Every structure is written in C-alpha cells, then in structure tokens.
Amino acid sequence: MLITGGTVIGPSGAVKNDVLVDGETIAAIFAPGQGPSEGVQIVDATGKYVIPGAIDAHTHMQMPFGGTEASDTFDTGTKAAAIGGTTTIIDFAIQRYGEVVQDGLAAWHAKTEGACHIDYGFHMILGGVDDDALKAMDYLVANEGITSFKLFMAYPGVFYSDDGQILRAMQRARENGALIMMHAENGPAIDVLVKQALERGETDPYYHGVTRPQELEAEATSRAIWLAAVAADCPLYIVHLSASKALEQVRNARDLGRNVFAETCPQYLYLTLEDQLGAPGFEGAKWVCSTPLRSKNESHRADLWQGLRTNDLSVVSTDHCPFCMKDQKEMGLGDFSKIPNGIGSVEHRVDLLYQGVVDGKLSLARWVETIATTPARMFGLYPRKGVIAPGSDADIVLYDPNGRTRISVETHHMNMDYSAWEGWEIDGKVDTVISRGEVISAGGEYTGRAGRGKYLRRGLSDYLL
Ligand code: DUC
Ligand code: ZN
Ligand code: ZN
C-alpha cells in the first residue's frame, strides 16, 4: 500500500512524503512521487494529514465501579476508538484489595478475549499494596509486559493506598523500572467534605465538584511528588490532572529536573464546573468524573493548554469511563456521591485536540506528540507505535483538516445513552484509519472487526533515567 500526496505529521513537524506499507508494517518513506508506482494499492491522501494512529493511554472498558460497570465493553469501546482515529488503548486491569494481582490480570484478559478491534495493553491498578503485590509487580514487569501501576490517593475503602503503601510501591518501581501512575486527590479529606455537603442538603451533581476542591488535588500531587523523591526519585506520572494548582506542583518538580510527568484529558481542557456539572436538575450527572471539572472563573483551562505547549503536561488521554444516564448515573439521584464517576470520550480525543490546533493553542506537531508519540514513549510502545517510520506498525490515520465533525449521541459509536459533547462541531475529521496495515475505517464506512486487536507486551518507559 502506498499512501501518496499527504502531509506526514510527526513530533518534528510536517513534511510532504509518501508512505509505503508492507503487510502490517511501514516499509519506507519516500519523497513525493518517488515511491513504487506498480504492484501497490494507492491510497490517495491529497490534502490530508498523515498521522500515527493515536494512543489512548487511559481507558476503563467494563470497569466495575460504584455498584455498576462502565458501559463500553472492549468490543464497543475499541470500535468507537478506532472510528475516532485511536489505534491503541492502554486499559487498567484491576487488583482489588485482598485479591491476587495475577487473578485480577487474568480477569482483564478474559474481558478482552475476541473483543478488541485495535491493539491494546494494560496498566495494573493495585488496590492493595502488600508483600505479595510487590512481588507481583516484579513478575508483571518481567513477564507480562505490564510496566506501569496505578495507585489511588482517593476512594478510601475501594482503591485507596495510604502513604506507607505508596512509598513501598514506589521503592519497588524504582528497582524494577516500572512507572507509578497516581490518582492524586486527598480521598479522606474529600470524604469529610462530601459528608458535610450531604448533611446540608447539597445533593446535586454540582456538589461533586465543590467537594473535590483543587487544593486537595494539589496537596495529593505534591505529596506524591515528595514520596517519589524519598523513593530515590521513582518515576511518577500523575493521571487526569485537572487544575492549575496541581499543574504548578508538576511544573515545579520538572523545573527541578525531577522524573515527574502528567496527563490531562479533553474534559478539563474544554468543560467546566458551572456550565456542565452545574447544569439544571440532574443533568450535571453526565459530567461527574474524578478529578472533577473546574471553575470557568479561574484559569484552569488556559493553564492546561499552556502546560501542554510547554510539556509540563506530556500526554492527553481520555480516562474513558462511560456510564449511561439510565440506570447508572441515575443511581445518584438525590445523592451526588452515588453517581458513578466517569465520562466517555474515547471516540473524540483526536478531533477534540485538533480543535486546539485550529484555535491556535497547539501546533500540529504537538497535537501528534500529545496523542500518539509521547504516550508510546511513556508506556514502552515506541517505536513500534506512535510514529510513522520504517519498521513501525502501520497504524496510520488520514486526517482531513477541511472536514467537519459533529458530535452527538445519535451518531457516536460508544455504548452511552448521551454524549458529554452533544452538539459540538469541530473543524477537522478522521477520514481513514489503518491498523497494522489494514484499512478498518474509510469515508465513514467501518470494516474492522472484534478480535483483530492484539495484546501488546510493553517495555519500560523511554523516559526512565
Ligand atoms: N475517575 C473516574 O472519573 N472514573 C473512574 C476512576 C477515576 O479515577
Ligand atoms: Zn483516577
Ligand atoms: Zn481513570
């Protein structure tokens, strides 16, 4: 297959080149018109951007949470991702407190059996850090291609780890080369605020945001950063960073040369406490996620865009964790603390971030870097994924900058009965999606299938020192 006439975008910029694909991999890059003209299937990319298939490094398909389960299966969720230009996801397998880590992992492999439309890897959530879990970390890094572990400073009684447990896991990661991913919110303090709010009768979804103030994200972020310092500068990756004060902690650490990284998500770049979470009645439940949406009257969104430009924020993931309004979000009618936490955006991240390019907030190169190249490097998938180069998997998206995308529950492919982005119009459109050399989506027609996605054993992060 020869992809001709397009502009190839990578972290170093945009170049007009032709891309030759042989089987599942990229074989060669040619100056325009210099590639073979016979014996190849020509894919005309004139006027399109040719970008590496995007990598969503933070998804929760079928995640049990808050008494229910995230509504996308690996089948529905990875199909939606593919249509939106994402050709790899890294989902979170879960070890619950008291459970054997390998059993949690086996349960996740069972969920993906025959289901995935695109390639996928796993991080491991550790819900209980003890001697066995620490040994299991070594095993997963050495044998299972799982090189990143998520810990929670929030959700006491569910996923929460105390500071001693966090320190032990970080010390172990420092030894075995794994990356610690942190949900940085002070859970015990949040629980006090939630109880007080409910006692005052503040039960609407809006109060989910009010009871998780940015100070408690910043405090936890700072504490995680210092615990990592005590663990001999264990590499640390803050997930779903939402707020200016938390970003300040990451920026300060990075300015000191620390091994600290962070991601943000589209919802924090665009949506707000007042306009979405504060929507009338129970409507705001659609946007209940943690960390929460922040106030439009503060500088969060501008600061996050700036953080993406300056690389204080390295990655944009979705934290895709969809729940339907009916029967799921509705569990929290009359009590916001019972609304399952999560927003679904796995289908829209490529487009939503391209809007940042159109708006002059990101360069084309940085768009590709934050949604594809850096996630590949951060999570041990580079150069197999995240770049258009000879030898890499032929995961390629043709993006039409002149197209237009309108987001709606009527047209999306995620298994959700609403869209968090209903009515949004974006300048730009995913035109063609190629996964390991196979065109799985073109001009609105989907030709992929469940089960074609492969499990990815990941290496260590490229950013480890
Ligand atoms: N945040 C969410 O919004 N959902 C799942 C877990 C999390 O940390
Ligand atoms: Zn989290
Ligand atoms: Zn998450």
Side-chain angles (χ1 to χ4, degrees):
M1 178 193 295
L2 186 70
I3 302 166
T4 59
T7 303
V8 179
I9 316 282
S12 52
V15 195
K16 275 194 181 293
N17 269 333
D18 295 349
V19 180
L20 183 68
V21 173
D22 184 11
E24 297 197 345
T25 52
I26 295 169
I29 312 284
F30 292 98
Q34 300 301 303
S37 54
E38 284 175 16
V40 287
Q41 171 197 350
I42 300 290
V43 175
D44 183 7
T46 305
K48 312 267 184 346
Y49 295 137
V50 180
I51 67 171
I55 300 173
D56 194 337
H58 189 153
T59 68
H60 300 283
M61 306 301 174
Q62 277 169 270
M63 182 201 195
F65 189 83
T68 182
E69 193 170 88
S71 58
D72 264 320
T73 61
F74 278 90
D75 182 348
T76 61
T78 59
K79 178 178 175 183
I83 290 169
T86 289
T87 51
T88 301
I89 61 162
I90 312 178
D91 201 85
F92 287 82
I94 299 179
Q95 174 241 10
R96 299 174 165 279
Y97 181 77
E99 191 179 49
V100 175
V101 172
Q102 282 89 341
D103 290 350
L105 175 58
W108 247 256
H109 276 299
K111 287 176 204 260
T112 58
E113 193 63 43
C116 292
H117 293 245
I118 52 172
D119 293 350
Y120 62 99
F122 294 141
H123 315 281
M124 192 85 213
I125 287 175
L126 296 179
V129 177
D130 56 17
D131 289 346
D132 287 343
L134 295 174
K135 273 192 217 129
M137 281 176 78
D138 293 346
Y139 183 83
L140 265 52
V141 170
N143 300 293
E144 301 287 350
I146 295 179
T147 53
S148 41
F149 296 84
K150 184 179 180 190
L151 301 173
F152 286 79
M153 302 169 100
Y155 302 124
V158 188
F159 295 124
Y160 176 77
S161 290
D162 66 28
D163 292 350
Q165 291 172 315
I166 290 169
L167 182 61
R168 291 187 79 202
M170 286 177 164
Q171 289 170 332
R172 199 63 166 233
R174 180 72 277 187
E175 285 169 18
N176 63 30
L179 187 65
I180 293 293
M181 305 173 76
M182 190 62 74
H183 180 126
E185 285 187 295
N186 185 326
I190 287 168
D191 280 3
V192 169
L193 297 182
V194 168
K195 185 164 175 290
Q196 291 170 346
L198 292 173
E199 281 166 3
R200 285 194 296 269
E202 296 167 351
T203 59
D204 284 348
Y206 175 76
Y207 295 100
H208 170 79
V210 174
T211 55
R212 305 180 91 93
Q214 68 156 332
E215 286 75 10
L216 295 183
E217 185 183 349
E219 183 276 329
T221 303
S222 161
R223 186 155 34 99
I225 288 170
W226 287 118
L227 286 169
V230 173
D233 208 11
C234 160
L236 174 68
Y237 178 97
I238 306 291
V239 295
H240 48 54
L241 189 146
S242 70
S244 301
K245 286 180 176 163
L247 177 59
E248 200 179 307
Q249 307 304 314
V250 171
R251 191 189 307 122
N252 291 343
R254 290 178 61 79
D255 287 350
L256 292 170
R258 293 282 311 284
N259 231 347
V260 173
F261 308 93
E263 71 176 12
T264 192
C265 312
Q267 53 267 35
Y268 308 118
L269 292 166
Y270 290 108
L271 310 179
T272 66
L273 171 69
E274 293 81 8
D275 291 338
Q276 278 79 30
L277 211 42
F282 191 61
E283 202 59 13
K286 293 175 176 172
W287 297 278
V288 166
C289 60
S290 297
T291 51
L293 303 184
R294 300 300 179 186
S295 176
K296 68 176 179 184
N297 302 320
E298 296 162 345
S299 61
H300 305 287
R301 289 176 295 173
D303 291 348
L304 295 179
W305 282 110
Q306 186 188 71
L308 281 176
R309 286 193 295 276
T310 58
N311 202 32
D312 289 318
L313 295 170
S314 308
V315 170
V316 179
S317 307
T318 55
D319 195 7
H320 180 76
C321 191
F323 296 100
C324 291
M325 283 295 270
K326 187 168 165 18
D327 297 337
Q328 294 197 301
K329 293 281 187 182
E330 279 175 359
M331 293 164 72
L333 269 167
D335 179 350
F336 69 84
S337 73
K338 296 201 165 56
I339 301 170
N341 291 194
I343 290 184
S345 307
V346 76
E347 189 169 346
H348 306 308
R349 184 181 55 125
V350 173
D351 289 321
L352 288 167
L353 266 290
Y354 183 70
Q355 189 62 46
V357 176
V358 174
D359 294 345
K361 291 174 172 155
L362 277 190
S363 67
L364 276 173
R366 194 70 189 137
W367 171 51
V368 165
E369 201 167 35
T370 55
I371 61 172
T373 313
T374 302
R377 289 192 164 130
M378 187 69 68
F379 297 108
L381 291 170
Y382 189 88
R384 181 170 173 191
K385 306 285 191 192
V387 62
I388 294 188
S392 296
D393 281 357
D395 291 357
I396 299 169
V397 172
L398 308 191
Y399 198 80
D400 181 1
N402 299 313
R404 243 177 123 64
T405 301
R406 185 170 190 282
I407 303 179
S408 170
V409 65
E410 304 298 333
T411 47
H412 76 196
H413 300 83
M414 302 176 289
N415 185 34
M416 296 174 72
D417 63 1
Y418 75 97
S419 172
W421 308 91
E422 187 63 44
W424 279 54
E425 297 241 357
I426 287 157
D427 299 312
K429 192 174 180 55
V430 173
D431 179 83
T432 301
V433 181
I434 301 167
S435 164
R436 270 185 288 101
E438 181 181 347
V439 175
I440 57 172
S441 183
E445 193 189 335
Y446 186 71
T447 50
R449 65 203 171 277
R452 64 169 301 287
K454 287 189 185 158
Y455 176 67
L456 298 168
R457 289 175 189 276
R458 298 183 291 112
L460 300 183
S461 172
D462 278 11
Y463 294 107
L464 296 187
L465 295 175

